[in-house]
Short mmCIF file of all heavy atoms in Angstrom, two decimals:
data_model
loop_
_atom_site.label_atom_id
_atom_site.label_comp_id
_atom_site.label_asym_id
_atom_site.label_seq_id
_atom_site.Cartn_x
_atom_site.Cartn_y
_atom_site.Cartn_z
N ASP A 11 60.81 -104.63 -55.04
CA ASP A 11 61.03 -105.98 -55.51
C ASP A 11 59.81 -106.86 -55.25
O ASP A 11 59.26 -106.87 -54.15
CB ASP A 11 62.21 -106.61 -54.79
CG ASP A 11 63.53 -106.03 -55.22
OD1 ASP A 11 63.94 -106.32 -56.34
OD2 ASP A 11 64.11 -105.31 -54.41
N LEU A 12 59.44 -107.63 -56.24
CA LEU A 12 58.31 -108.53 -56.11
C LEU A 12 58.57 -109.59 -55.04
O LEU A 12 57.68 -109.92 -54.25
CB LEU A 12 58.02 -109.21 -57.45
CG LEU A 12 56.90 -110.23 -57.46
CD1 LEU A 12 55.59 -109.59 -57.02
CD2 LEU A 12 56.76 -110.87 -58.81
N VAL A 13 59.78 -110.12 -55.00
CA VAL A 13 60.11 -111.16 -54.02
C VAL A 13 59.90 -110.64 -52.61
O VAL A 13 59.29 -111.31 -51.77
CB VAL A 13 61.56 -111.66 -54.23
CG1 VAL A 13 61.98 -112.57 -53.10
CG2 VAL A 13 61.68 -112.37 -55.56
N ARG A 14 60.39 -109.45 -52.33
CA ARG A 14 60.24 -108.87 -51.00
C ARG A 14 58.77 -108.61 -50.69
O ARG A 14 58.30 -108.87 -49.58
CB ARG A 14 61.03 -107.56 -50.90
CG ARG A 14 61.08 -107.01 -49.49
CD ARG A 14 61.99 -105.80 -49.36
NE ARG A 14 63.34 -106.11 -49.78
CZ ARG A 14 63.99 -105.47 -50.75
NH1 ARG A 14 63.43 -104.49 -51.39
NH2 ARG A 14 65.22 -105.80 -51.05
N ALA A 15 58.02 -108.12 -51.66
CA ALA A 15 56.60 -107.83 -51.45
C ALA A 15 55.81 -109.09 -51.12
O ALA A 15 54.93 -109.07 -50.26
CB ALA A 15 56.01 -107.16 -52.69
N LEU A 16 56.14 -110.19 -51.76
CA LEU A 16 55.44 -111.44 -51.46
C LEU A 16 55.64 -111.84 -50.01
O LEU A 16 54.70 -112.28 -49.34
CB LEU A 16 55.95 -112.56 -52.38
CG LEU A 16 55.50 -112.50 -53.83
CD1 LEU A 16 56.22 -113.55 -54.65
CD2 LEU A 16 54.00 -112.67 -53.96
N GLY A 17 56.82 -111.69 -49.50
CA GLY A 17 57.09 -112.02 -48.10
C GLY A 17 56.36 -111.09 -47.15
O GLY A 17 55.84 -111.51 -46.13
N GLU A 18 56.32 -109.81 -47.49
CA GLU A 18 55.67 -108.83 -46.62
C GLU A 18 54.17 -109.02 -46.57
O GLU A 18 53.53 -108.69 -45.58
CB GLU A 18 56.02 -107.42 -47.07
CG GLU A 18 57.47 -107.07 -46.79
CD GLU A 18 57.89 -105.75 -47.38
OE1 GLU A 18 57.07 -105.06 -48.02
OE2 GLU A 18 59.07 -105.39 -47.19
N LEU A 19 53.60 -109.58 -47.62
CA LEU A 19 52.17 -109.84 -47.63
C LEU A 19 51.78 -110.95 -46.66
O LEU A 19 50.65 -111.03 -46.23
CB LEU A 19 51.69 -110.22 -49.04
CG LEU A 19 51.62 -109.09 -50.04
CD1 LEU A 19 51.28 -109.64 -51.43
CD2 LEU A 19 50.59 -108.06 -49.62
N GLY A 20 52.74 -111.79 -46.34
CA GLY A 20 52.47 -112.87 -45.40
C GLY A 20 51.57 -113.95 -45.98
O GLY A 20 50.88 -114.64 -45.27
N GLN A 21 51.61 -114.10 -47.27
CA GLN A 21 50.77 -115.08 -47.94
C GLN A 21 51.52 -116.40 -48.11
O GLN A 21 52.47 -116.47 -48.87
CB GLN A 21 50.32 -114.56 -49.30
CG GLN A 21 49.56 -113.27 -49.24
CD GLN A 21 48.19 -113.44 -48.59
OE1 GLN A 21 47.54 -114.47 -48.76
NE2 GLN A 21 47.76 -112.45 -47.85
N SER A 22 51.06 -117.42 -47.41
CA SER A 22 51.74 -118.70 -47.53
C SER A 22 51.60 -119.27 -48.94
O SER A 22 52.39 -120.13 -49.33
CB SER A 22 51.23 -119.69 -46.49
OG SER A 22 49.86 -119.95 -46.67
N GLY A 23 50.65 -118.78 -49.72
CA GLY A 23 50.51 -119.21 -51.11
C GLY A 23 51.68 -118.78 -51.97
O GLY A 23 51.89 -119.30 -53.06
N ALA A 24 52.46 -117.82 -51.48
CA ALA A 24 53.63 -117.34 -52.22
C ALA A 24 54.83 -118.26 -52.04
O ALA A 24 55.83 -118.13 -52.75
CB ALA A 24 54.00 -115.94 -51.76
N ILE A 25 54.76 -119.20 -51.12
CA ILE A 25 55.92 -120.03 -50.79
C ILE A 25 56.46 -120.79 -51.99
O ILE A 25 57.68 -120.80 -52.20
CB ILE A 25 55.61 -120.97 -49.60
CG1 ILE A 25 55.45 -120.11 -48.35
CG2 ILE A 25 56.70 -122.02 -49.42
CD1 ILE A 25 54.95 -120.86 -47.14
N PRO A 26 55.65 -121.42 -52.83
CA PRO A 26 56.24 -122.13 -53.98
C PRO A 26 57.05 -121.21 -54.91
O PRO A 26 58.13 -121.59 -55.35
CB PRO A 26 55.02 -122.71 -54.70
CG PRO A 26 54.00 -122.88 -53.62
CD PRO A 26 54.21 -121.68 -52.72
N ALA A 27 56.55 -120.02 -55.17
CA ALA A 27 57.28 -119.08 -56.04
C ALA A 27 58.56 -118.62 -55.37
O ALA A 27 59.61 -118.52 -56.03
CB ALA A 27 56.40 -117.89 -56.39
N LEU A 28 58.52 -118.34 -54.08
CA LEU A 28 59.71 -117.92 -53.36
C LEU A 28 60.73 -119.04 -53.29
O LEU A 28 61.94 -118.81 -53.44
CB LEU A 28 59.33 -117.45 -51.95
CG LEU A 28 58.53 -116.15 -51.88
CD1 LEU A 28 58.01 -115.93 -50.48
CD2 LEU A 28 59.38 -114.98 -52.35
N ARG A 29 60.26 -120.25 -53.07
CA ARG A 29 61.16 -121.42 -53.04
C ARG A 29 61.86 -121.58 -54.38
O ARG A 29 63.07 -121.82 -54.43
CB ARG A 29 60.37 -122.68 -52.70
CG ARG A 29 61.22 -123.92 -52.60
CD ARG A 29 60.34 -125.16 -52.33
NE ARG A 29 61.13 -126.32 -52.05
CZ ARG A 29 61.74 -127.07 -52.97
NH1 ARG A 29 61.63 -126.77 -54.25
NH2 ARG A 29 62.44 -128.12 -52.62
N GLU A 30 61.12 -121.44 -55.45
CA GLU A 30 61.69 -121.55 -56.80
C GLU A 30 62.79 -120.51 -57.00
O GLU A 30 63.87 -120.82 -57.52
CB GLU A 30 60.59 -121.39 -57.84
CG GLU A 30 61.06 -121.47 -59.26
CD GLU A 30 61.54 -122.85 -59.69
OE1 GLU A 30 61.18 -123.85 -59.03
OE2 GLU A 30 62.28 -122.92 -60.68
N ARG A 31 62.53 -119.27 -56.61
CA ARG A 31 63.53 -118.21 -56.76
C ARG A 31 64.75 -118.50 -55.89
O ARG A 31 65.88 -118.33 -56.32
CB ARG A 31 62.95 -116.85 -56.36
CG ARG A 31 61.84 -116.37 -57.25
CD ARG A 31 62.24 -115.85 -58.64
NE ARG A 31 63.09 -116.66 -59.47
CZ ARG A 31 62.68 -117.59 -60.35
NH1 ARG A 31 61.40 -117.85 -60.49
NH2 ARG A 31 63.54 -118.25 -61.08
N LEU A 32 64.53 -118.95 -54.66
CA LEU A 32 65.63 -119.23 -53.75
C LEU A 32 66.52 -120.35 -54.28
O LEU A 32 67.74 -120.27 -54.20
CB LEU A 32 65.09 -119.60 -52.37
CG LEU A 32 66.10 -120.01 -51.31
CD1 LEU A 32 67.12 -118.90 -51.05
CD2 LEU A 32 65.40 -120.40 -50.02
N LEU A 33 65.93 -121.37 -54.82
CA LEU A 33 66.70 -122.53 -55.24
C LEU A 33 67.29 -122.41 -56.65
O LEU A 33 68.30 -123.05 -56.95
CB LEU A 33 65.84 -123.79 -55.16
CG LEU A 33 65.44 -124.21 -53.75
CD1 LEU A 33 64.45 -125.37 -53.82
CD2 LEU A 33 66.65 -124.59 -52.93
N HIS A 34 66.66 -121.59 -57.51
CA HIS A 34 67.05 -121.65 -58.92
C HIS A 34 67.35 -120.32 -59.60
O HIS A 34 67.77 -120.34 -60.76
CB HIS A 34 65.95 -122.36 -59.71
CG HIS A 34 65.68 -123.74 -59.21
ND1 HIS A 34 66.59 -124.77 -59.29
CD2 HIS A 34 64.60 -124.25 -58.58
CE1 HIS A 34 66.07 -125.86 -58.74
NE2 HIS A 34 64.87 -125.57 -58.29
N ASP A 35 67.14 -119.20 -58.96
CA ASP A 35 67.40 -117.94 -59.64
C ASP A 35 68.91 -117.75 -59.83
O ASP A 35 69.69 -118.03 -58.91
CB ASP A 35 66.84 -116.75 -58.85
CG ASP A 35 66.66 -115.55 -59.74
OD1 ASP A 35 67.65 -114.82 -59.97
OD2 ASP A 35 65.54 -115.35 -60.23
N PRO A 36 69.33 -117.28 -60.99
CA PRO A 36 70.76 -117.11 -61.22
C PRO A 36 71.38 -115.91 -60.50
O PRO A 36 72.60 -115.82 -60.38
CB PRO A 36 70.86 -116.91 -62.74
CG PRO A 36 69.53 -116.38 -63.14
CD PRO A 36 68.54 -117.00 -62.19
N TYR A 37 70.55 -115.01 -59.97
CA TYR A 37 71.05 -113.80 -59.36
C TYR A 37 71.09 -113.91 -57.83
O TYR A 37 70.08 -114.21 -57.20
CB TYR A 37 70.22 -112.59 -59.78
CG TYR A 37 70.28 -112.36 -61.27
CD1 TYR A 37 69.23 -112.73 -62.08
CD2 TYR A 37 71.41 -111.80 -61.85
CE1 TYR A 37 69.30 -112.54 -63.46
CE2 TYR A 37 71.50 -111.61 -63.21
CZ TYR A 37 70.43 -111.98 -64.01
OH TYR A 37 70.51 -111.80 -65.37
N VAL A 38 72.26 -113.64 -57.28
CA VAL A 38 72.48 -113.74 -55.84
C VAL A 38 71.49 -112.87 -55.07
O VAL A 38 70.90 -113.32 -54.08
CB VAL A 38 73.93 -113.36 -55.48
CG1 VAL A 38 74.12 -113.25 -53.98
CG2 VAL A 38 74.90 -114.37 -56.06
N HIS A 39 71.30 -111.64 -55.50
CA HIS A 39 70.43 -110.73 -54.74
C HIS A 39 68.97 -111.20 -54.75
O HIS A 39 68.25 -110.98 -53.79
CB HIS A 39 70.56 -109.28 -55.25
CG HIS A 39 70.00 -109.05 -56.61
ND1 HIS A 39 70.67 -109.37 -57.76
CD2 HIS A 39 68.81 -108.54 -56.98
CE1 HIS A 39 69.92 -109.06 -58.80
NE2 HIS A 39 68.79 -108.55 -58.36
N VAL A 40 68.55 -111.86 -55.81
CA VAL A 40 67.18 -112.39 -55.86
C VAL A 40 67.05 -113.56 -54.90
O VAL A 40 66.07 -113.67 -54.16
CB VAL A 40 66.79 -112.80 -57.29
CG1 VAL A 40 65.43 -113.51 -57.32
CG2 VAL A 40 66.76 -111.58 -58.21
N ARG A 41 68.05 -114.44 -54.88
CA ARG A 41 68.01 -115.58 -53.95
C ARG A 41 68.02 -115.10 -52.51
O ARG A 41 67.29 -115.62 -51.66
CB ARG A 41 69.17 -116.55 -54.22
CG ARG A 41 69.06 -117.22 -55.58
CD ARG A 41 69.96 -118.44 -55.74
NE ARG A 41 71.34 -118.26 -55.34
CZ ARG A 41 72.31 -117.79 -56.13
NH1 ARG A 41 72.04 -117.40 -57.36
NH2 ARG A 41 73.56 -117.73 -55.69
N ALA A 42 68.83 -114.08 -52.21
CA ALA A 42 68.88 -113.54 -50.85
C ALA A 42 67.54 -112.91 -50.47
O ALA A 42 67.07 -113.10 -49.34
CB ALA A 42 70.01 -112.52 -50.73
N ALA A 43 66.93 -112.19 -51.39
CA ALA A 43 65.62 -111.58 -51.12
C ALA A 43 64.56 -112.65 -50.90
O ALA A 43 63.69 -112.51 -50.04
CB ALA A 43 65.22 -110.65 -52.25
N ALA A 44 64.64 -113.73 -51.67
CA ALA A 44 63.68 -114.83 -51.49
C ALA A 44 63.85 -115.47 -50.11
O ALA A 44 62.86 -115.80 -49.44
CB ALA A 44 63.86 -115.87 -52.59
N ALA A 45 65.09 -115.63 -49.67
CA ALA A 45 65.34 -116.18 -48.33
C ALA A 45 64.75 -115.27 -47.26
O ALA A 45 64.10 -115.75 -46.32
CB ALA A 45 66.84 -116.36 -48.10
N THR A 46 64.94 -113.98 -47.41
CA THR A 46 64.40 -113.02 -46.45
C THR A 46 62.87 -113.08 -46.43
O THR A 46 62.25 -113.09 -45.36
CB THR A 46 64.88 -111.59 -46.79
OG1 THR A 46 66.30 -111.58 -46.71
CG2 THR A 46 64.31 -110.57 -45.82
N ALA A 47 62.28 -113.13 -47.61
CA ALA A 47 60.82 -113.21 -47.71
C ALA A 47 60.29 -114.49 -47.08
O ALA A 47 59.29 -114.48 -46.35
CB ALA A 47 60.37 -113.10 -49.17
N LEU A 48 60.95 -115.61 -47.34
CA LEU A 48 60.54 -116.87 -46.72
C LEU A 48 60.67 -116.80 -45.21
O LEU A 48 59.86 -117.37 -44.48
CB LEU A 48 61.35 -118.03 -47.29
CG LEU A 48 60.92 -118.49 -48.68
CD1 LEU A 48 61.99 -119.37 -49.31
CD2 LEU A 48 59.59 -119.22 -48.62
N GLY A 49 61.68 -116.10 -44.74
CA GLY A 49 61.86 -115.94 -43.31
C GLY A 49 60.68 -115.24 -42.65
O GLY A 49 60.34 -115.52 -41.50
N GLN A 50 60.02 -114.36 -43.38
CA GLN A 50 58.84 -113.68 -42.86
C GLN A 50 57.64 -114.60 -42.80
O GLN A 50 56.64 -114.29 -42.15
CB GLN A 50 58.53 -112.46 -43.73
CG GLN A 50 59.61 -111.41 -43.66
CD GLN A 50 59.41 -110.29 -44.64
OE1 GLN A 50 58.60 -110.37 -45.56
NE2 GLN A 50 60.14 -109.21 -44.46
N LEU A 51 57.74 -115.76 -43.46
CA LEU A 51 56.62 -116.71 -43.49
C LEU A 51 56.87 -117.95 -42.64
O LEU A 51 55.99 -118.81 -42.53
CB LEU A 51 56.35 -117.14 -44.94
CG LEU A 51 55.99 -116.00 -45.90
CD1 LEU A 51 55.96 -116.52 -47.33
CD2 LEU A 51 54.66 -115.39 -45.51
N VAL A 52 58.05 -118.06 -42.05
CA VAL A 52 58.42 -119.26 -41.29
C VAL A 52 57.43 -119.54 -40.17
O VAL A 52 57.08 -120.69 -39.92
CB VAL A 52 59.87 -119.15 -40.75
CG1 VAL A 52 60.14 -120.16 -39.67
CG2 VAL A 52 60.85 -119.33 -41.89
N SER A 53 56.97 -118.50 -39.49
CA SER A 53 56.05 -118.73 -38.37
C SER A 53 54.68 -119.20 -38.84
O SER A 53 53.93 -119.79 -38.07
CB SER A 53 55.90 -117.45 -37.54
OG SER A 53 55.30 -116.43 -38.30
N GLU A 54 54.36 -118.98 -40.11
CA GLU A 54 53.06 -119.38 -40.66
C GLU A 54 53.09 -120.76 -41.31
O GLU A 54 52.05 -121.37 -41.48
CB GLU A 54 52.60 -118.38 -41.72
CG GLU A 54 52.35 -116.99 -41.20
CD GLU A 54 51.94 -116.05 -42.33
OE1 GLU A 54 51.35 -116.52 -43.31
OE2 GLU A 54 52.23 -114.86 -42.20
N SER A 55 54.27 -121.22 -41.72
CA SER A 55 54.30 -122.42 -42.55
C SER A 55 55.60 -123.21 -42.39
O SER A 55 56.69 -122.66 -42.49
CB SER A 55 54.13 -122.02 -44.02
OG SER A 55 54.30 -123.13 -44.86
N ASP A 56 55.43 -124.51 -42.21
CA ASP A 56 56.58 -125.41 -42.20
C ASP A 56 57.22 -125.50 -43.58
O ASP A 56 58.39 -125.80 -43.71
CB ASP A 56 56.17 -126.81 -41.74
CG ASP A 56 55.81 -126.87 -40.27
OD1 ASP A 56 56.28 -126.01 -39.50
OD2 ASP A 56 55.04 -127.77 -39.90
N ARG A 57 56.42 -125.23 -44.63
CA ARG A 57 56.96 -125.27 -45.99
C ARG A 57 58.02 -124.18 -46.20
O ARG A 57 58.97 -124.40 -46.94
CB ARG A 57 55.84 -125.13 -47.04
CG ARG A 57 54.90 -126.33 -47.06
CD ARG A 57 53.84 -126.20 -48.13
NE ARG A 57 53.10 -124.95 -47.95
CZ ARG A 57 52.62 -124.21 -48.96
NH1 ARG A 57 52.78 -124.58 -50.20
NH2 ARG A 57 51.96 -123.10 -48.70
N ALA A 58 57.83 -123.03 -45.58
CA ALA A 58 58.82 -121.96 -45.70
C ALA A 58 60.12 -122.39 -45.04
O ALA A 58 61.21 -122.23 -45.62
CB ALA A 58 58.29 -120.68 -45.07
N ARG A 59 60.03 -122.96 -43.86
CA ARG A 59 61.23 -123.45 -43.16
C ARG A 59 61.91 -124.56 -43.97
O ARG A 59 63.14 -124.57 -44.12
CB ARG A 59 60.88 -123.96 -41.77
CG ARG A 59 62.09 -124.50 -41.00
CD ARG A 59 61.75 -124.89 -39.58
NE ARG A 59 61.35 -123.75 -38.78
CZ ARG A 59 62.19 -122.84 -38.28
NH1 ARG A 59 63.48 -122.94 -38.51
NH2 ARG A 59 61.75 -121.84 -37.56
N ALA A 60 61.13 -125.46 -44.53
CA ALA A 60 61.69 -126.55 -45.32
C ALA A 60 62.42 -126.03 -46.55
O ALA A 60 63.48 -126.54 -46.92
CB ALA A 60 60.59 -127.53 -45.73
N ALA A 61 61.88 -125.01 -47.20
CA ALA A 61 62.53 -124.41 -48.37
C ALA A 61 63.87 -123.80 -47.98
O ALA A 61 64.87 -123.96 -48.69
CB ALA A 61 61.62 -123.37 -49.02
N LEU A 62 63.90 -123.11 -46.86
CA LEU A 62 65.14 -122.50 -46.39
C LEU A 62 66.18 -123.55 -46.05
O LEU A 62 67.36 -123.42 -46.40
CB LEU A 62 64.87 -121.60 -45.18
CG LEU A 62 64.11 -120.31 -45.50
CD1 LEU A 62 63.51 -119.72 -44.23
CD2 LEU A 62 65.03 -119.32 -46.19
N LEU A 63 65.76 -124.60 -45.38
CA LEU A 63 66.69 -125.67 -45.02
C LEU A 63 67.23 -126.38 -46.26
O LEU A 63 68.41 -126.73 -46.32
CB LEU A 63 66.02 -126.66 -44.08
CG LEU A 63 65.71 -126.13 -42.68
CD1 LEU A 63 64.86 -127.12 -41.90
CD2 LEU A 63 66.98 -125.79 -41.94
N ALA A 64 66.38 -126.58 -47.27
CA ALA A 64 66.83 -127.21 -48.51
C ALA A 64 67.87 -126.35 -49.21
O ALA A 64 68.88 -126.85 -49.69
CB ALA A 64 65.63 -127.47 -49.43
N ALA A 65 67.62 -125.06 -49.26
CA ALA A 65 68.56 -124.15 -49.91
C ALA A 65 69.87 -124.06 -49.13
O ALA A 65 70.95 -123.94 -49.73
CB ALA A 65 67.94 -122.76 -50.06
N ASP A 66 69.79 -124.14 -47.82
CA ASP A 66 70.98 -124.04 -46.99
C ASP A 66 71.98 -125.16 -47.31
O ASP A 66 73.19 -124.98 -47.22
CB ASP A 66 70.60 -124.07 -45.51
CG ASP A 66 71.76 -123.73 -44.60
OD1 ASP A 66 72.46 -122.75 -44.89
OD2 ASP A 66 71.94 -124.45 -43.60
N LYS A 67 71.48 -126.30 -47.71
CA LYS A 67 72.33 -127.45 -48.01
C LYS A 67 73.10 -127.29 -49.33
O LYS A 67 74.16 -127.88 -49.49
CB LYS A 67 71.50 -128.72 -48.07
CG LYS A 67 70.92 -129.13 -46.74
CD LYS A 67 70.08 -130.37 -46.88
CE LYS A 67 69.44 -130.73 -45.55
NZ LYS A 67 68.55 -131.87 -45.66
N SER A 68 72.54 -126.49 -50.25
CA SER A 68 73.15 -126.43 -51.57
C SER A 68 73.70 -125.06 -51.96
O SER A 68 74.40 -124.95 -52.96
CB SER A 68 72.12 -126.86 -52.62
OG SER A 68 71.01 -125.98 -52.62
N GLU A 69 73.41 -124.03 -51.20
CA GLU A 69 73.82 -122.67 -51.58
C GLU A 69 75.30 -122.44 -51.33
O GLU A 69 75.81 -122.70 -50.25
CB GLU A 69 73.00 -121.65 -50.79
CG GLU A 69 73.30 -120.22 -51.15
CD GLU A 69 73.08 -119.89 -52.61
OE1 GLU A 69 71.95 -120.08 -53.10
OE2 GLU A 69 74.04 -119.44 -53.26
N ALA A 70 75.98 -121.91 -52.35
CA ALA A 70 77.41 -121.66 -52.24
C ALA A 70 77.74 -120.20 -51.92
O ALA A 70 78.80 -119.92 -51.35
CB ALA A 70 78.10 -122.05 -53.55
N GLU A 71 76.87 -119.28 -52.25
CA GLU A 71 77.14 -117.86 -52.06
C GLU A 71 76.95 -117.43 -50.61
O GLU A 71 75.90 -117.67 -50.01
CB GLU A 71 76.22 -117.02 -52.95
CG GLU A 71 76.49 -117.15 -54.42
CD GLU A 71 77.79 -116.50 -54.83
OE1 GLU A 71 78.28 -115.59 -54.14
OE2 GLU A 71 78.33 -116.93 -55.88
N ALA A 72 77.96 -116.77 -50.07
CA ALA A 72 77.94 -116.37 -48.66
C ALA A 72 76.79 -115.41 -48.35
O ALA A 72 76.17 -115.53 -47.29
CB ALA A 72 79.27 -115.72 -48.29
N ALA A 73 76.48 -114.51 -49.25
CA ALA A 73 75.41 -113.54 -49.00
C ALA A 73 74.06 -114.24 -48.87
O ALA A 73 73.23 -113.87 -48.03
CB ALA A 73 75.36 -112.50 -50.11
N VAL A 74 73.85 -115.25 -49.69
CA VAL A 74 72.57 -115.99 -49.62
C VAL A 74 72.54 -116.86 -48.37
O VAL A 74 71.52 -116.94 -47.69
CB VAL A 74 72.34 -116.82 -50.90
CG1 VAL A 74 71.01 -117.55 -50.84
CG2 VAL A 74 72.40 -115.93 -52.14
N ARG A 75 73.65 -117.50 -48.07
CA ARG A 75 73.71 -118.32 -46.86
C ARG A 75 73.46 -117.47 -45.62
O ARG A 75 72.79 -117.91 -44.69
CB ARG A 75 75.05 -119.04 -46.76
CG ARG A 75 75.20 -120.14 -47.84
CD ARG A 75 76.47 -120.93 -47.69
NE ARG A 75 76.58 -121.61 -46.43
CZ ARG A 75 75.99 -122.77 -46.12
NH1 ARG A 75 75.23 -123.37 -47.00
NH2 ARG A 75 76.17 -123.31 -44.95
N SER A 76 73.96 -116.26 -45.61
CA SER A 76 73.74 -115.34 -44.50
C SER A 76 72.26 -114.98 -44.40
O SER A 76 71.70 -114.94 -43.30
CB SER A 76 74.58 -114.09 -44.69
OG SER A 76 74.33 -113.17 -43.67
N ALA A 77 71.62 -114.73 -45.53
CA ALA A 77 70.19 -114.41 -45.54
C ALA A 77 69.36 -115.60 -45.06
O ALA A 77 68.38 -115.43 -44.33
CB ALA A 77 69.74 -113.97 -46.94
N ILE A 78 69.78 -116.79 -45.44
CA ILE A 78 69.08 -118.00 -45.00
C ILE A 78 69.21 -118.16 -43.48
O ILE A 78 68.23 -118.42 -42.79
CB ILE A 78 69.62 -119.25 -45.73
CG1 ILE A 78 69.24 -119.22 -47.21
CG2 ILE A 78 69.11 -120.54 -45.07
CD1 ILE A 78 69.97 -120.24 -48.06
N ALA A 79 70.41 -117.98 -42.99
CA ALA A 79 70.63 -118.10 -41.53
C ALA A 79 69.80 -117.08 -40.77
O ALA A 79 69.18 -117.40 -39.74
CB ALA A 79 72.12 -117.92 -41.21
N ALA A 80 69.76 -115.85 -41.25
CA ALA A 80 68.96 -114.81 -40.59
C ALA A 80 67.47 -115.15 -40.65
O ALA A 80 66.74 -114.94 -39.68
CB ALA A 80 69.21 -113.45 -41.24
N ALA A 81 67.04 -115.69 -41.77
CA ALA A 81 65.63 -116.05 -41.94
C ALA A 81 65.21 -117.18 -40.99
O ALA A 81 64.09 -117.19 -40.49
CB ALA A 81 65.36 -116.46 -43.40
N LEU A 82 66.13 -118.09 -40.76
CA LEU A 82 65.82 -119.21 -39.85
C LEU A 82 65.93 -118.81 -38.38
O LEU A 82 65.47 -119.53 -37.51
CB LEU A 82 66.76 -120.39 -40.15
CG LEU A 82 66.50 -121.11 -41.46
CD1 LEU A 82 67.63 -122.06 -41.78
CD2 LEU A 82 65.16 -121.85 -41.40
N GLY A 83 66.55 -117.66 -38.15
CA GLY A 83 66.66 -117.17 -36.77
C GLY A 83 67.81 -117.76 -36.10
O GLY A 83 68.08 -118.11 -35.07
#
């Protein structure tokens, strides 16, 4: 998965694309993968944490909320 690969690369430049997927992708598994990938970038960037927190406020799917919680630690 591209979303997972972006997180594993540790590139903070990927944060806008991951944020977009997390907040707007219609597929639950893509949003969950984006949350996981952002979680791998949290230590490098406040923007990653902010994206996760923003999604946590609006996400209805339990699987994505679980991925967000795990990503935030």
Side-chain angles (χ1 to χ4, degrees):
D11 288 288
L12 177 60
V13 171
R14 188 174 302 122
L16 287 172
E18 289 173 0
L19 287 174
Q21 301 292 325
S22 61
I25 292 172
L28 291 169
R29 182 183 188 280
E30 179 68 20
R31 296 285 51 89
L32 177 59
L33 293 173
H34 302 294
D35 200 278
Y37 298 103
V38 171
H39 69 279
V40 173
R41 294 195 312 273
T46 299
L48 283 165
Q50 295 172 347
L51 300 172
V52 164
S53 64
E54 296 178 29
S55 173
D56 290 336
R57 293 182 304 146
R59 180 175 295 284
L62 289 162
L63 292 171
D66 190 46
K67 293 178 183 176
S68 62
E69 183 58 58
E71 292 290 336
V74 181
R75 291 184 60 80
S76 177
I78 291 168
L82 289 169

